[in-house]
Amino acid sequence: MCATKSEPPTESTAPSSPQLPRSSEEEKEPAEADIDKDVLCPICMQIIKDAFTTACGHSFCYTCISIHLRNKSDCPCCSRYLSNNLIFPNFLLNKLLKKISARQSARNASPVEHFRQTILQGCEVSTKELDSLLSILVDKKRRMEQSEAEMNMQILHDFLNCLRKKKLEELNQIKTDLQYIKEDTTAVKKRTMELYTAKKRCSRNLRMLVDDSFAAKTLPSLVDQHNNGTISGGCNSQGWIGSASSQRKVNLKDQASSQGFRSKDAYDGSDSAYDTNSGVAVARKRRIHAQFNDLQECYLQKRQCWMKQFSKQEDKGPNVMDIDGYNPGLEDFQSVLSSFTRYSRLRVIAELRHGDIFHTANIVSSIEFDRDDEMFAIAGVSRRIKVFEFSSIVNEPADVHCPIVELSTRSKLSCLSWNKYTKNHIASCDYDGIVTVWDITTRQSLMEYEEHEKRAWSIDFCRTDPSMLVSGSDDCKVKVWCTKQEASVFDINLKANVCSVKYNPGSSVHVAVGTADHQIHYYDLRNISKPLYVFGGHKKAVSYVKFLSNHELASASTDNTLRLWDVKENSLLRTFRGHKNERNFVGLTANSDYIACGSETNEVFVYHKAISKPAAWYSFGSDMANVDEDAGSYFISAVCWKSDSQTMLSANSQGTIKAFVLAA
């Protein structure tokens, strides 16, 4: 038997350098990637579905090529002529695509799915192997449940820690608030004792003054009677005179003491005086309890605000506390509490009747007092500006009140504004977009501007520069005017209709603009490229903006709310709710403490700026018992405060105008 000779290793059989093994998936990925590129439809760039091949050899989805051939008669790849008769199903490619899909599904399936498919396909597994698998699965399940339980406990622990931290913060805040209350209670008691002591001292001084004045008047008359008396003889006459003097001195003391007792009763705060005021005190306490939550929030807010200021100024300047420990925040709140509880209703003091037989439309769009609060003007859809004397309306009731000045216009009027310096100048804007400055003395227009392209909603004279005024319109523009020139000074272009404009009362360069995009834009006219601040929060169009002070701005919206803003701090101070306003312009007016607006329920509402609920309201409907059935459709259309007094004018859509005063 011959031995086989082994051949030397050739290049093909020579051992190669060691390499890392490659998995089957890594080997398949390039091939599958190439296949994926080849099986993409040239039209939709997705894997071909229901493959059809053209006569020129290109494959497409049947749906894609069918839609293409409805519009064109060429191949999308090579542009050769093609029709529905020249496309054929590609069965081989369809089989290949199904295998690729199945392979991709298997590759993307989870191990559990692989195992499940293996069992379902009838793979033979012994009982021992199944027991081993079950023990593994049970152990895996137990570990997963334990891990999930630990996670849940960790989440619960984090929640409890967060809750504890929050409650501790609340507790610390409550302790701080209680400390404020304790300090303020001590200060109030001290101030009360000081007032009581001052009252006693005043009463004592008053009694001494009464005694001195009575003695000064009575003693000279007794001396005169003594000098003019008849002397009948020696000792007896002197004894009689002495006894008479003593008697008169006794009477003088009695009268003086009686005067003293009467002065004490009058000035010492007797029970009768307390009984007289007890009804007022009870009513004011009732108002406190009705708005207790808002008042509590106001007190704490003012107290905390002053303490923050005190902490900032502690090392920089004098103490903000008074000598007697009466905190300025408490003093602020006391003024709020006093003014809020003082009034609870609106009392009608006059009603203006100005019937116009030539104009059935009586909606009053604007009411404005003049510079000195002696006259007021009204305007609306009647195309007339009427000026009335306020004192005559209040003091001289009449069936019909006649205006002292009446101006006719070409269009319906939307807004009025008196010049804050020149008493007889008033500006108006109308539905045609015309801005006019009038002289009510000559009854002539001084300036007329026609630059607005649509209805102008609002006009306002500047307080610090009476030659300047600003207007806003549906053309999305705010225009600044000067009465010394015939064209506008400049425009501010916005993206939404402008509903209201107002100068800051302490500045000639700051203007607030209410727009239909639910926002208030606060501009510095020295840089109109963008607003200083944009106040957002209203959910519908902002219909009015009014300033309470140089830094407090009130806004009204058709979302049934009023809002109070701080234009210095760029912050929302308070939201007021209680009236109804969803469709119409119902008016807005403000003074230093109160904000008033109308309602679509034909009511006037008054809010204190520190309390979010109404302080007082009045229904025009209560006086309309004999009016037609459409009375429910009337709404308040204009309101105006008389400077910083408690007097207000209000008009509704029927043309009824009433003067109110805040009352207890």
Side-chain angles (χ1 to χ4, degrees):
M1 186 172 178
C2 297
T4 305
K5 186 178 179 179
S6 62
E7 297 179 358
T10 61
E11 193 176 61
S12 59
T13 60
S16 60
S17 59
Q19 295 180 356
L20 293 175
R22 297 177 62 190
S23 65
S24 59
E25 290 185 358
E26 290 178 347
E27 292 176 354
K28 292 178 183 178
E29 281 181 359
E32 289 184 359
D34 294 339
I35 292 175
D36 288 344
K37 292 179 182 178
D38 292 336
V39 297
L40 294 180
C41 172
I43 297 176
C44 66
M45 300 306 295
Q46 302 293 326
I47 294 178
I48 297 174
K49 295 180 180 179
D50 194 10
F52 268 63
T53 303
T54 63
C56 53
H58 299 105
S59 297
F60 305 91
C61 300
Y62 176 72
T63 302
C64 295
I65 193 63
S66 297
I67 294 174
H68 174 78
L69 292 178
R70 291 176 190 172
N71 302 315
K72 295 183 178 181
S73 299
D74 60 355
C75 176
C77 293
C78 61
S79 300
R80 291 185 181 181
Y81 173 77
L82 188 64
S83 66
N84 288 323
N85 297 327
L86 298 176
I87 60 174
F88 312 97
N90 191 334
F91 299 110
L92 181 61
L93 181 58
N94 280 330
K95 289 182 180 179
L96 179 62
L97 291 174
K98 288 180 179 178
K99 289 182 180 180
I100 292 174
S101 298
R103 192 180 300 119
Q104 287 181 342
S105 299
R107 187 176 58 187
N108 295 332
S110 64
V112 175
E113 183 64 23
H114 280 296
F115 179 71
R116 190 178 68 84
Q117 291 294 335
T118 302
I119 297 299
L120 291 176
Q121 289 173 3
C123 178
E124 294 183 0
V125 182
S126 66
T127 304
K128 185 177 181 180
E129 290 175 334
L130 286 176
D131 289 340
S132 176
L133 289 173
L134 286 174
S135 63
I136 293 173
L137 292 175
V138 169
D139 184 61
K140 177 67 173 177
K141 179 182 178 183
R142 186 171 59 253
R143 288 198 304 269
M144 290 178 64
E145 289 176 346
Q146 183 177 358
S147 176
E148 184 177 359
E150 291 175 356
M151 183 183 297
N152 291 336
M153 293 303 293
Q154 183 63 41
I155 293 172
L156 179 59
H157 184 264
D158 293 343
F159 168 77
L160 292 175
N161 281 337
C162 183
L163 180 61
R164 181 177 178 274
K165 182 179 178 181
K166 183 177 179 181
K167 291 301 180 182
L168 285 174
E169 291 175 355
E170 292 178 359
L171 179 60
N172 292 333
Q173 186 60 54
I174 291 174
K175 289 180 179 179
T176 304
D177 294 344
L178 287 173
Q179 184 62 31
Y180 293 156
I181 295 170
K182 182 179 179 180
E183 293 173 359
D184 292 344
T185 301
T186 303
V188 169
K189 287 181 178 179
K190 184 177 179 181
R191 181 67 64 89
T192 303
M193 290 301 297
E194 291 175 355
L195 293 173
Y196 179 76
T197 303
K199 181 179 178 181
K200 287 289 187 182
R201 189 183 303 115
C202 180
S203 298
R204 185 169 58 253
N205 293 338
L206 186 58
R207 286 198 300 272
M208 293 174 63
L209 181 63
V210 170
D211 293 345
D212 293 342
S213 62
F214 186 80
K217 291 179 180 179
T218 308
L219 288 176
S221 62
L222 294 176
V223 173
D224 292 340
Q225 292 177 9
H226 172 70
N227 292 334
N228 297 330
T230 304
I231 304 175
S232 57
C235 286
N236 290 336
S237 63
Q238 292 177 0
W240 178 82
I241 292 172
S243 63
S245 316
S246 301
Q247 185 66 30
R248 288 192 177 96
K249 287 181 179 178
V250 172
N251 294 337
L252 177 62
K253 284 186 176 181
D254 293 340
Q255 292 177 4
S257 61
S258 65
Q259 290 289 340
F261 289 137
R262 283 197 295 271
S263 65
K264 180 178 179 180
D265 291 340
Y267 300 100
D268 199 26
S270 63
D271 292 340
S272 60
Y274 178 79
D275 292 339
T276 303
N277 296 326
S278 61
V280 177
V282 169
R284 296 182 72 171
K285 289 179 180 179
R286 190 181 299 117
R287 289 172 213 147
I288 290 175
H289 289 293
Q291 305 291 347
F292 188 82
N293 290 336
D294 285 337
L295 289 170
Q296 172 184 264
E297 180 183 354
C298 178
Y299 164 74
L300 295 175
Q301 182 181 14
K302 289 185 176 296
R303 199 63 167 79
Q304 293 165 7
C305 179
W306 273 103
M307 287 307 297
K308 289 179 181 178
Q309 293 185 19
F310 170 67
S311 61
K312 291 180 180 178
Q313 298 176 0
E314 192 173 10
D315 300 328
K316 297 181 180 180
N319 198 330
V320 299
M321 300 287 286
D322 290 344
I323 298 175
D324 59 354
Y326 208 72
N327 188 280
L330 178 60
E331 196 163 358
D332 282 354
F333 177 72
Q334 182 182 2
S335 65
V336 169
L337 188 65
S338 176
S339 59
F340 175 74
T341 58
R342 186 178 295 119
Y343 308 113
S344 63
R345 64 188 180 94
L346 287 169
R347 179 168 58 87
V348 179
I349 58 174
E351 182 172 349
L352 174 63
R353 298 179 176 87
H354 62 108
D356 192 341
I357 61 175
F358 301 105
H359 296 86
T360 56
N362 292 318
I363 297 178
V364 177
S365 303
S366 181
I367 303 179
E368 290 290 326
F369 275 101
D370 74 335
R371 180 195 66 189
D372 301 325
D373 291 331
E374 295 174 349
M375 300 180 294
F376 66 91
I378 65 172
V381 299
S382 64
R383 297 182 174 86
R384 292 167 183 256
I385 300 174
K386 297 180 181 181
V387 180
F388 296 88
E389 190 177 34
F390 182 74
S391 60
S392 64
I393 300 300
V394 175
N395 300 324
E396 302 173 9
D399 293 335
V400 177
H401 295 94
C402 297
I404 58 176
V405 176
E406 187 167 347
L407 306 171
S408 297
T409 62
R410 291 174 294 180
S411 180
K412 298 176 181 178
L413 296 163
S414 52
C415 189
L416 296 173
S417 178
W418 286 91
N419 191 296
K420 311 307 185 289
Y421 181 77
T422 308
K423 183 180 176 67
N424 58 323
H425 288 181
I426 189 172
S428 67
C429 60
D430 61 29
Y431 281 33
D432 290 335
I434 300 173
V435 174
T436 310
V437 179
W438 304 85
D439 187 330
I440 64 169
T441 303
T442 63
R443 294 172 171 78
Q444 299 294 323
S445 63
L446 300 175
M447 302 295 291
E448 192 170 279
Y449 307 102
E450 300 185 9
E451 295 185 20
H452 280 301
E453 300 170 3
K454 295 183 179 180
R455 172 171 45 189
W457 280 115
S458 184
I459 185 81
D460 187 48
F461 264 113
C462 179
R463 285 183 178 271
T464 56
D465 186 352
S467 65
M468 303 299 294
L469 63 158
V470 63
S471 63
S473 167
D474 272 342
D475 60 6
C476 306
K477 293 180 180 179
V478 173
K479 289 183 177 288
V480 178
W481 314 89
C482 179
T483 55
K484 299 176 182 178
Q485 63 186 57
E486 297 181 354
S488 61
V489 180
F490 54 82
D491 299 351
I492 302 176
N493 295 311
L494 292 100
K495 297 180 180 180
N497 299 28
V498 178
C499 302
S500 181
V501 291
K502 202 70 179 176
Y503 267 107
N504 188 311
S507 171
S508 61
V509 297
H510 292 107
V511 173
V513 182
T515 57
D517 62 356
H518 316 170
Q519 295 178 329
I520 301 104
H521 304 259
Y522 190 59
Y523 279 95
D524 186 332
L525 299 182
R526 295 168 295 187
N527 179 17
I528 60 173
S529 59
K530 62 178 182 179
L532 281 176
Y533 305 120
V534 177
F535 300 103
H538 283 296
K539 297 180 180 179
K540 291 186 179 180
V542 178
S543 50
Y544 296 96
V545 287
K546 299 283 184 179
F547 281 93
L548 285 76
S549 64
N550 294 348
H551 66 279
E552 293 173 311
L553 174 69
S555 62
S557 170
T558 51
D559 62 1
N560 297 315
T561 66
L562 307 180
R563 291 177 183 257
L564 183 63
W565 313 87
D566 189 326
V567 296
K568 287 186 177 180
E569 299 295 332
N570 186 22
S571 62
L572 173 65
L573 299 177
R574 191 158 285 100
T575 301
F576 306 90
R577 291 182 175 87
H579 63 287
K580 180 181 179 182
N581 181 20
E582 297 177 348
R583 297 170 49 193
N584 302 293
F585 283 60
V586 296
L588 178 70
T589 184
N591 59 24
S592 58
D593 289 323
Y594 288 95
I595 305 170
C597 70
S599 174
E600 290 169 0
T601 57
N602 207 22
E603 294 174 293
V604 184
F605 284 82
V606 177
Y607 298 89
H608 192 283
K609 68 178 183 180
I611 307 298
S612 60
K613 295 179 182 178
W617 59 89
Y618 178 86
S619 174
F620 274 56
S622 60
D623 299 332
M624 301 173 63
N626 298 324
V627 184
D628 57 11
E629 295 180 356
D630 293 333
S633 63
Y634 295 132
F635 59 92
I636 303 300
S637 56
V639 288
C640 182
W641 283 113
K642 185 182 178 185
S643 293
D644 279 335
S645 69
Q646 280 71 50
T647 304
M648 180 181 66
L649 288 172
S650 178
N652 73 349
S653 56
Q654 190 192 16
T656 303
I657 301 174
K658 294 186 179 184
F660 300 97
V661 64
L662 282 171

